């Protein structure tokens, strides 16, 4: 990080008028004063690599330290002589923790490994808590529970500011309440509708009218989420973690103000803090957006069927919601400002868009709303949307029951007093830059999850980062979160799973001539009898030709893509190559086996359409 992790101690000269013995005693007194007054005192030399390693260790632990560089002070040789008399150690770094002589670099790392260093650091703690986690989502809870496993005194502060439509929820963050969990369950509801249609082809006969009940679905899903909220609170209680439903704001470096929904304030202090506040949906900033539109914060607990819906935005959230709403039988339109699934492989994104369009989702490309008006109240009511072309003066109008905004998310970092304590954020995005141990520019403050700059916005990533952070801070671990080759899946009616690089990114990194792309269309066996689309599902791998054809990108568009991708992601962690795929015997008949039989390259230009299963 750019800011210095430690403070430099000053050692003023004892003066030249004193006798040598008096000057030496004065120097000894000054050195002892530095040792007495500083929690961690490091005597080092600015060019010493062992000194640098020790400083990095304390920085990674979020521990403030003072340092005296012996090569930067007058008469450093005499200082080192007196220091040797005090500590019986001739070399640097020479480290003292809470007035206890720790020793040099090797001894300090050994003390860190066996837990002695942590015990010494805790002896003078005058704070209420060892750790306060701000944010009760997946990452924050993971970090808090792991820290509690090491016997630490931990608090979690979590407060959900209601959406403009009044939606709020319990402990567990976005994923549990308004993200992954309800999304996947509604996706499943839509898949069951498709399964009902397929079942007739497999001999199932039923005469009763089949229709979907939105209220019954949302009630069941919300009941499940409520049980998860309660489970999280119970787990925190069992682990001795204090949970406070209040909004946290920094007032000093080690002190936060917690304000509950009644406006009551309390102050808490901690040795270390983890910011895990996540993100909330962005609005367009046009007339009528906050008054009449909803976001994913509102959709999953919406007490009525949304009816004819306009989804604004073609992010994974937008396309997932459009997909399951259409799968439940609703009239759905997606308004796209630019491209589908920005940041994902664009060939896969366009194939996915084509599937959605073929199955009833309408697209309005290169348009963005400029006005939303309510023309009829109700549940749902009726809204008029005026949209303008992104490529010219053309405007269009449409009438919808519901307008769902999915135009990105904003980090919840701007109103928590970070500027008061000097934590740097990206002013444009609100995201927090951190080093490779999730540490901000303020040594005792860390950040994890969706608010990190340049890191994937995925629940399992936050959980892993939070757990490993707690282990480093309190469990003598040095393991860091690996942000490379993280798998994910877009849960649209035809799922899209991927791991590693998009084709565009791979070309940027490795150059096109150094890559080989193997691909194929395929027809799942389950779709054959049901008469569903042939040559719609698609698989491809991107290989680095000059690294033993190592797989640098894995992509699949098909049923159960999430389950398939999870397994291949583990293989990529192990260095998966095309040869290893060729040597793997597939499970027949499955969709995943297609990756064991890939033969056709893009560069060959050969036809990839399939004639059979």
């Amino acid at each position: 990080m750019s800011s210095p992790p430690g403070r430099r101690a000053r050692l003023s000269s004892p003066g030249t008028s004193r006798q040598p013995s008096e000057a030496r005693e004065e120097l000894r007194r000054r050195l002892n004063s530095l040792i007495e007054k500083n929690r961690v005192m490091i005597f080092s030399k600015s060019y010493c690599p062992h000194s640098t390693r020790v400083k990095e260790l304390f920085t990674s632990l979020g521990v403030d330290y003072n340092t005296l560089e012996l090569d930067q002070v007058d008469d450093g040789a005499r200082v080192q002589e007196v220091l040797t008399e005090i500590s019986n150690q001739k070399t640097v770094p020479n480290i003292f923790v809470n007035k206890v002589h720790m020793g040099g670099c090797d001894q300090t790392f050994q003390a860190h490994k066996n837990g002695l260093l942590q015990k010494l650091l805790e002896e003078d703690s005058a704070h209420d808590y060892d750790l306060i986690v701000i944010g009760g989502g997946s990452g924050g809870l993971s970090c808090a529970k792991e820290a509690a496993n090491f016997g630490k005194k931990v608090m979690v502060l979590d407060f959900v500011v209601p959406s403009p439509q009044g939606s709020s929820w319990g402990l567990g963050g976005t994923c549990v309440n308004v993200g992954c969990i309800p999304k996947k369950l509604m996706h499943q509801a839509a898949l069951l509708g498709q399964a009902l249609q397929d079942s007739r082809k497999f001999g199932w006969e039923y005469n009763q009218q089949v229709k979907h009940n939105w209220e019954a679905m949302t009630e069941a899903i919300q009941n499940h989420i409520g049980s998860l909220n309660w489970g999280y609170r119970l787990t925190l209680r069992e682990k001795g973690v204090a949970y406070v439903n209040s909004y946290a704001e920094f007032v000093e470096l080690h002190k936060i103000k917690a304000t509950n929904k009644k406006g009551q304030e309390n102050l808490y202090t901690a040795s270390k803090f983890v910011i895990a506040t996540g993100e909330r949906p962005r609005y367009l900033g046009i007339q009528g957006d906050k008054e009449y539109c909803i976001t994913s914060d509102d959709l999953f607990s919406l007490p009525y069927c949304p009816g004819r819906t306009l989804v604004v935005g073609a992010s994974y959230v937008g396309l997932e919601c459009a997909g399951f709403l259409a799968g439940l039988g609703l009239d759905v339109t997606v308004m796209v400002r630019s491209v589908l699934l920005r940041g994902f492989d664009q060939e896969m994104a366009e194939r996915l868009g084509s599937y959605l369009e073929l199955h009833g989702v309408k697209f309005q490309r290169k348009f963005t709303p400029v006005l939303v008006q309510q023309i009829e109240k109700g549940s749902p009511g009726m809204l008029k949307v005026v949209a303008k072309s992104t490529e010219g003066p053309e405007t269009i109008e449409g009438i919808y029951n519901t307008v769902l905004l999915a135009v990105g998310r904003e980090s919840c970092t701007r109103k928590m007093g970070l500027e008061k304590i000097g934590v740097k954020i990206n002013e444009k995005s609100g995201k927090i830059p951190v080093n490779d141990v999730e540490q901000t520019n303020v040594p005792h403050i860390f950040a994890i999850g969706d608010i990190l700059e340049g890191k994937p916005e995925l629940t399992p990533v936050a959980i892993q980062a939070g757990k490993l952070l707690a282990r480093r801070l309190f469990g003598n671990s040095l393991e860091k979160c690996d942000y490379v080759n993280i798998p994910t899946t877009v849960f649209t009616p035809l799922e899209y799973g991927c791991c590693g690089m998009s084709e565009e990114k791979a070309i940027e990194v490795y150059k096109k001539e150094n890559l080989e792309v193997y691909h194929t269309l395929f027809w799942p066996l389950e779709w054959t009898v049901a008469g569903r689309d042939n040559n719609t599902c698609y698989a491809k791998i991107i290989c680095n030709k000059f690294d033993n054809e190592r797989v640098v990108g894995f992509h699949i568009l098909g049923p159960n893509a999430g389950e398939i991708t999870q397994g291949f992601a583990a293989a990529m962690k192990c260095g998966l190559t095309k040869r290893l795929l060729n040597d793997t015997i597939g499970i027949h008949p499955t969709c995943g086996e297609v990756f064991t039989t890939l033969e056709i390259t893009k560069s060959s230009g050969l036809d990839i359409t399939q004639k059979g299963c």
Side-chain angles (χ1 to χ4, degrees):
M1 304 303 290
S2 57
S3 64
R7 295 184 293 275
R8 287 193 175 182
R10 294 181 180 273
L11 191 68
S12 57
S13 171
T16 57
S17 61
R18 297 174 184 264
Q19 294 295 321
S21 60
E22 291 179 5
R24 199 174 186 86
E25 283 307 310
E26 175 65 12
L27 179 56
R28 181 190 296 272
R29 187 188 66 78
R30 290 173 183 274
L31 291 174
N32 279 324
S33 177
L34 288 175
I35 295 167
E36 290 278 337
K37 291 180 179 179
N38 293 297
R39 185 185 183 201
V40 176
M41 186 66 216
I42 303 174
F43 297 95
S44 64
K45 292 182 180 178
S46 59
Y47 55 81
C48 172
H50 302 294
S51 299
T52 300
R53 281 188 67 210
V54 167
K55 294 170 191 174
E56 289 174 347
L57 172 63
F58 284 108
T59 297
S60 72
L61 296 173
V63 174
D64 295 325
Y65 60 84
N66 280 59
T67 180
L68 182 68
E69 306 290 357
L70 301 189
D71 59 318
Q72 304 289 316
V73 298
D74 295 335
D75 204 4
R78 189 168 59 155
V79 172
Q80 189 157 355
E81 284 178 17
V82 175
L83 190 59
T84 300
E85 293 174 4
I86 293 172
S87 65
N88 198 31
Q89 177 182 323
K90 296 180 180 180
T91 58
V92 294
N94 201 335
I95 301 127
F96 294 81
V97 177
N98 282 331
K99 298 172 277 193
V100 174
H101 182 232
M102 182 61 62
C105 178
D106 290 344
Q107 292 92 333
T108 302
F109 271 87
Q110 181 59 38
H112 172 59
K113 187 175 180 180
N114 63 30
L116 175 62
L117 178 60
Q118 195 62 43
K119 289 179 181 177
L120 285 172
L121 287 169
E122 290 168 0
E123 282 183 0
D124 76 335
S125 178
H127 299 122
D128 300 328
Y129 292 91
D130 297 306
L131 176 69
I132 289 181
V133 177
I134 303 174
S138 302
L141 292 176
S142 170
C143 186
K145 290 185 290 186
E146 192 70 13
N149 286 342
F150 292 108
K152 301 303 153 188
K153 191 176 181 184
V154 183
M155 169 181 276
V156 170
L157 285 142
D158 186 57
F159 188 85
V160 180
V161 177
S163 75
Q165 299 299 328
S167 300
S168 189
W169 48 86
L171 187 64
T174 295
C175 172
V176 168
N177 294 282
V178 289
C180 317
I181 299 301
K183 174 271 300 288
K184 180 74 183 291
L185 291 173
M186 289 193 174
H187 170 60
Q188 175 65 12
L191 292 182
L192 289 172
Q194 179 67 59
L196 281 169
Q197 297 177 38
D198 292 350
S199 68
R200 290 186 186 274
K201 295 288 183 69
F202 283 91
W204 287 96
E205 298 176 356
Y206 49 89
N207 297 318
Q208 64 268 38
Q209 182 183 3
V210 178
K211 63 178 182 178
H212 184 262
N213 185 313
W214 175 275
E215 291 79 7
M217 176 187 68
T218 53
E219 181 181 359
I221 290 173
Q222 290 304 311
N223 286 342
H224 176 64
I225 290 171
S227 70
L228 295 177
N229 298 147
W230 173 249
Y232 289 130
R233 295 188 68 163
L234 192 62
T235 301
L236 292 182
R237 188 183 307 163
E238 289 172 347
K239 290 184 177 292
V241 176
Y243 165 59
V244 177
N245 185 208
S246 294
Y247 189 89
E249 181 182 352
F250 283 96
V251 291
E252 294 177 14
L253 274 171
H254 287 272
K255 184 182 291 184
I256 55 106
K257 177 177 69 176
T259 308
N260 66 19
K261 61 183 178 182
K262 296 179 180 179
Q264 298 168 334
E265 298 178 357
N266 286 290
L267 297 174
Y268 303 100
T269 63
S271 300
K272 298 178 180 66
F273 292 86
V274 172
I275 304 169
T277 47
E279 298 182 307
R280 297 290 293 272
R282 183 179 294 126
Y283 283 78
L284 289 168
I286 62 172
Q287 183 180 331
D289 62 346
K290 290 187 177 178
E291 294 87 349
Y292 307 123
C293 300
I294 66 169
T295 68
S296 55
D297 279 0
D298 312 293
L299 178 64
F300 303 113
S301 59
L302 202 66
Y304 54 83
C305 180
R308 188 179 190 214
T309 302
L310 172 68
V311 177
V312 181
S315 63
Y316 74 93
V317 175
L319 295 188
E320 286 175 337
C321 292
F324 69 66
L325 290 174
L328 298 176
L330 303 184
D331 184 320
V332 179
T333 301
V334 176
M335 187 174 286
V336 187
R337 180 174 60 88
S338 53
V339 300
L340 308 183
L341 294 179
R342 182 179 300 281
F344 287 83
D345 187 284
Q346 284 302 291
E347 178 185 25
M348 305 301 291
E350 285 301 319
R351 286 181 178 275
L352 176 53
S354 297
Y355 181 89
L356 288 172
E357 201 159 18
L358 189 64
H359 289 264
V361 176
K362 297 182 283 290
F363 284 85
Q364 292 178 344
R365 295 204 179 222
K366 307 295 183 182
F367 277 92
T368 186
V370 293
L371 172 68
V372 179
Q373 285 182 325
Q374 186 181 65
I375 56 179
E376 185 180 304
K377 292 183 178 181
S379 299
M382 200 167 288
L383 303 170
K384 181 173 83 170
V385 178
V386 180
K388 184 179 182 302
S389 169
T390 60
E391 297 182 331
E394 182 186 359
T395 61
I396 58 174
E397 294 184 3
I399 304 297
Y400 305 93
N401 301 117
T402 300
V403 177
L404 172 67
L405 300 182
V407 292
R409 299 173 68 80
E410 292 182 339
S411 300
C412 302
T413 57
R414 298 188 190 275
K415 295 180 180 179
M416 55 185 305
L418 296 182
E419 71 285 352
K420 296 177 186 175
I421 57 170
V423 173
K424 293 178 181 176
I425 68 169
N426 182 314
E427 289 301 327
K428 183 177 180 181
S429 67
K431 288 185 176 285
I432 301 177
V434 295
N435 61 15
D436 62 353
V437 289
E438 287 82 42
Q439 185 177 43
T440 72
N441 62 299
V442 176
H444 68 283
I445 297 178
F446 299 79
I448 56 174
D450 291 1
I451 56 172
L452 296 191
E453 187 171 59
K455 298 292 190 292
E457 299 174 9
L458 296 167
T459 296
V461 176
I463 292 171
Q464 179 82 333
K467 186 181 297 183
L468 294 179
L469 173 58
R471 290 175 183 174
R472 289 195 304 274
L473 293 179
F474 304 115
N476 307 314
S477 170
L478 296 174
E479 185 180 357
K480 302 171 185 178
C481 185
D482 183 0
Y483 290 97
V484 178
N485 285 344
I486 292 171
T488 190
T489 295
V490 181
F491 288 101
T492 37
L494 188 60
E495 295 179 7
Y496 165 34
C498 59
C499 183
M501 296 183 182
S502 65
E503 195 169 340
E504 293 84 1
K505 184 64 176 178
I507 290 171
E508 178 188 325
V509 172
Y510 295 109
K511 308 302 179 189
K512 187 171 184 177
E513 61 270 20
N514 297 327
L515 298 171
E516 196 72 87
V517 179
Y518 295 86
H519 67 153
T520 187
L521 293 164
F522 65 95
W523 196 16
L525 180 66
E526 297 85 348
W527 287 23
T528 55
V529 171
R532 295 179 62 184
D533 318 289
N534 192 1
N535 292 309
T536 296
C537 299
Y538 179 68
K540 76 172 175 181
I541 56 170
I542 305 158
C543 301
N544 181 355
K545 286 195 290 190
F546 297 100
D547 183 18
N548 200 30
E549 284 206 309
R550 190 171 306 282
V551 178
V552 298
F554 174 95
H555 301 267
I556 180 169
L557 190 64
N560 304 305
E563 307 295 341
I564 295 167
T565 304
Q566 184 67 80
F568 282 100
M572 287 181 67
K573 281 283 184 188
C574 299
L576 180 67
T577 63
K578 180 64 171 66
R579 174 63 185 270
L580 288 170
L581 282 173
N582 293 346
D583 291 345
T584 300
I585 297 174
I587 302 171
H588 186 71
T590 64
C591 294
E593 72 173 316
V594 358
F595 289 99
T596 67
T597 58
L598 288 172
E599 295 178 347
I600 299 174
T601 65
K602 272 194 174 182
S603 57
S604 73
L606 295 175
D607 182 25
I608 58 170
T609 56
Q610 300 297 304
K611 305 302 187 292
C613 68

